[in-house]
Amino acid sequence: MPDTPPSPADAPAAVSAKLRLATVWLAGCSGCHMSFLDLDEFLFDLAERAEVVFSPVASDLKAFPENVDLCLVEGAVANVDNLELALTLRQHSRMVVSFGDCAVTANVPGLRNLLTGPEAVLERGYVELADSGAQLPHAPGIVPELLEKVLPLHEVIPVDLYLPGCPPSAERIRAAIEPLLHGQPPRMEGASMLRFG
Ligand code: SF4
């Protein structure tokens, strides 16, 4: 992990080469990624300026790459796989954006924190509510272990920018990332950029 993560003021410098862009899906519903795809024609502009080097919507790469300029992270941190990926992406990304309310606050996945730990969650989901075949999932190395609590991203790694919304609208996503593509920090001000939900 870098000693001092860059701030939005240290947005990726104006790029001559393409900016290396990653998007990551942790514990979320993929709605934030769907909103990203709603960028429509701006996706063509994005493709001119950025190379998508890791994303659930653009590649099936399993290993997070090195030297990423900008990484959008959807979802909270709910299990050991989420945690490992969050630590890895921080290590290899200059700017990390907490992308959507689940990443920013834990939001919907965080509702399970109302129960007392992962055992209670699994018991409720797989035994108490089962119509048939009640059984706790147990497959070490295949089914990732749940963390004790679901955490927002910034409780696990430093983040450089918060982009709230459930999901953030395509307009808001564009307003946040377009300046970054030009080496400028976005203006994260007002309800149009900062309202949750
Ligand atoms: S913030 Fe909303 S849209 Fe995005 S992953 Fe969470 S629940 Fe889905």
Side-chain angles (χ1 to χ4, degrees):
M1 192 181 308
D3 292 339
T4 310
S7 71
D10 300 321
V15 282
S16 49
K18 283 190 174 183
L19 179 144
R20 287 168 61 80
L21 172 68
T23 77
V24 167
W25 180 11
L26 302 181
C29 72
S30 87
C32 292
H33 273 86
M34 295 302 106
S35 198
F36 182 85
L37 294 178
D38 281 344
L39 285 167
D40 294 336
E41 74 278 359
F42 179 65
L43 289 172
F44 293 107
D45 295 343
L46 190 59
E48 293 277 311
R49 299 180 187 281
E51 177 189 2
V52 179
V53 293
F54 186 89
S55 174
V57 297
S59 78
D60 60 358
L61 275 181
K62 299 291 183 275
F64 193 84
E66 297 186 345
N67 299 318
V68 169
D69 293 302
L70 176 61
C71 181
L72 308 182
V73 184
E74 173 193 314
V77 181
N79 63 40
V80 294
D81 282 4
N82 297 158
L83 178 60
E84 183 181 343
L85 182 51
L87 295 173
T88 301
L89 71 87
R90 177 70 272 182
Q91 192 175 5
H92 296 302
S93 303
R94 292 183 59 213
M95 282 205 76
V96 173
V97 177
S98 190
F99 178 37
D101 287 355
C102 289
V104 176
T105 70
N107 197 31
V108 177
L111 291 174
R112 83 152 160 92
N113 294 341
L114 297 171
L115 297 176
T116 55
E119 293 77 18
V121 174
L122 295 172
E123 185 75 19
R124 179 73 178 149
Y126 289 92
V127 177
E128 294 173 20
L129 297 177
D131 293 325
S132 64
Q135 181 183 355
L136 291 177
H138 183 68
I142 298 175
V143 179
E145 298 288 319
L146 298 182
L147 300 181
E148 199 62 28
K149 278 184 171 275
V150 181
L151 300 169
L153 187 63
H154 65 271
E155 289 195 20
V156 173
I157 58 170
V159 303
D160 305 302
L161 189 75
Y162 296 93
L163 181 54
C166 183
S169 66
E171 294 74 24
R172 187 181 293 183
I173 296 169
R174 177 173 178 170
I177 67 174
E178 192 167 21
L180 295 175
L181 297 176
H182 296 278
Q184 301 294 323
R187 291 172 66 90
M188 302 300 293
E189 297 174 357
S192 67
M193 293 301 287
L194 294 177
R195 181 181 289 140
F196 287 84

